[in-house]
Amino acid sequence: MKNDAQIQTDVQNQLKWEPQLNAAEIGVAVKNGIVTLSGIVDTYPKKMTAERVTKNVIGVKAVALDIQVGISPVNRKSDAEIAEACVNALRWDSSVPDDKIKIKVENGTVSMEGTVEWGYQRLAAKNALVKLTGVKGVNNMIVVKQKPSSIDIKQRIRESFITTAGHEADNIRLEVLGSKVTLRGSVKSHYEKEEAENTAWATPGVNEVENKIEVVYEEFFESA
């Protein structure tokens, strides 16, 4: 089992190896396996990348993200310019029903509201905006209006798990209440945990996902 110092070193090394990041801009503190990232980066995607890289380090239990996005003068945009870029980005993305979505921009943070029929459309809308120049953050308040039965939702998610995760799907339990899905159980990595959540979000009728899956690392499974 890694101690906090080892986890800190591993996280720092992973950040150094990530070509998108300048590791010198990001501080890493670890306590009881919980990693706090701090500092200032110049784009929102860099903040997201730092979080993703850290989650994939073995031994990390959770990530507290205290990184601020400080847009450089070269990339700084007015809220009106960002809003226009967002509208265009949604219009160009064929998987997003842009006529169903309203955009609000305040101090570089984009808020999206509206209704869509599929969970993947909600995710696609966010993905279309997070990399735009000048964006500091995205609040995704889009809701999924399609309402299949809880049984249908559960069955579709289970089938997708079996297809993508095979026997690992047996370690994941599903609870469906209306349009809300709660995931429980255990997987071997943060990547698998996130993939399970993405699968749930991509299921028609899902409007909320609570991911309570625990990450239990490879060595535990091998020694069990």
Side-chain angles (χ1 to χ4, degrees):
M1 196 73 174
K2 292 182 181 179
N3 59 37
D4 287 345
Q6 291 172 317
I7 294 173
Q8 182 184 40
T9 298
D10 287 348
V11 171
Q12 290 170 333
N13 286 336
Q14 288 298 116
L15 293 174
K16 289 178 183 177
W17 296 332
E18 177 56 52
Q20 297 182 43
L21 302 176
N22 178 359
E25 298 176 339
I26 302 172
V28 180
V30 185
K31 183 176 181 181
N32 298 326
I34 299 173
V35 179
T36 299
L37 301 177
S38 58
I40 300 176
V41 295
D42 60 358
T43 67
Y44 184 57
K46 288 183 179 180
K47 179 177 179 178
M48 296 177 66
T49 297
E51 180 183 15
R52 173 181 57 78
V53 168
T54 301
K55 282 182 175 180
N56 288 333
V57 173
I58 292 176
V60 173
K61 296 179 179 178
V63 178
L65 207 58
D66 196 26
I67 295 175
Q68 305 301 313
V69 179
I71 306 296
S72 68
V74 175
N75 294 324
R76 188 170 293 128
K77 302 288 184 181
S78 69
D79 286 346
E81 290 173 319
I82 294 172
E84 182 179 2
C86 289
V87 170
N88 288 332
L90 295 179
R91 184 181 299 126
W92 295 333
D93 192 325
S94 60
S95 62
V96 178
D98 60 286
D99 58 325
K100 306 292 185 182
I101 300 171
K102 294 182 179 180
I103 298 291
K104 174 184 175 183
V105 183
E106 185 173 0
N107 297 324
T109 298
V110 181
S111 297
M112 296 187 297
E113 295 182 345
T115 58
V116 294
E117 295 183 355
W118 302 85
Y120 79 85
Q121 294 173 323
R122 183 179 187 275
L123 290 177
K126 179 178 180 180
N127 291 336
L129 305 187
V130 293
K131 294 184 180 180
L132 294 178
T133 300
V135 172
K136 295 182 179 180
V138 177
N139 297 322
N140 193 348
M141 296 179 284
I142 298 171
V143 298
V144 180
K145 68 177 182 180
Q146 190 181 37
K147 295 182 179 180
S149 70
S150 296
I151 295 176
D152 288 340
I153 291 175
K154 190 171 185 177
Q155 181 63 28
R156 291 188 184 188
I157 296 175
R158 175 57 60 187
E159 289 174 354
S160 183
F161 280 169
I162 293 173
T163 300
T164 58
H167 69 279
E168 300 295 342
D170 295 336
N171 296 321
I172 301 174
R173 301 190 305 277
L174 295 169
E175 296 175 8
V176 182
L177 183 60
S179 62
K180 178 181 178 179
V181 176
T182 302
L183 303 176
R184 303 181 188 275
S186 60
V187 293
K188 297 178 182 178
S189 69
H190 280 284
Y191 172 79
E192 292 176 351
K193 178 178 179 178
E194 291 180 357
E195 282 299 293
E197 181 173 338
N198 290 338
T199 297
W201 272 119
T203 303
V206 174
N207 193 33
E208 183 178 356
V209 177
E210 186 172 4
N211 194 344
K212 294 187 176 182
I213 295 173
E214 295 181 2
V215 178
V216 182
Y217 292 100
E218 192 80 32
E219 57 263 29
F220 176 86
F221 282 92
E222 291 176 351
S223 62

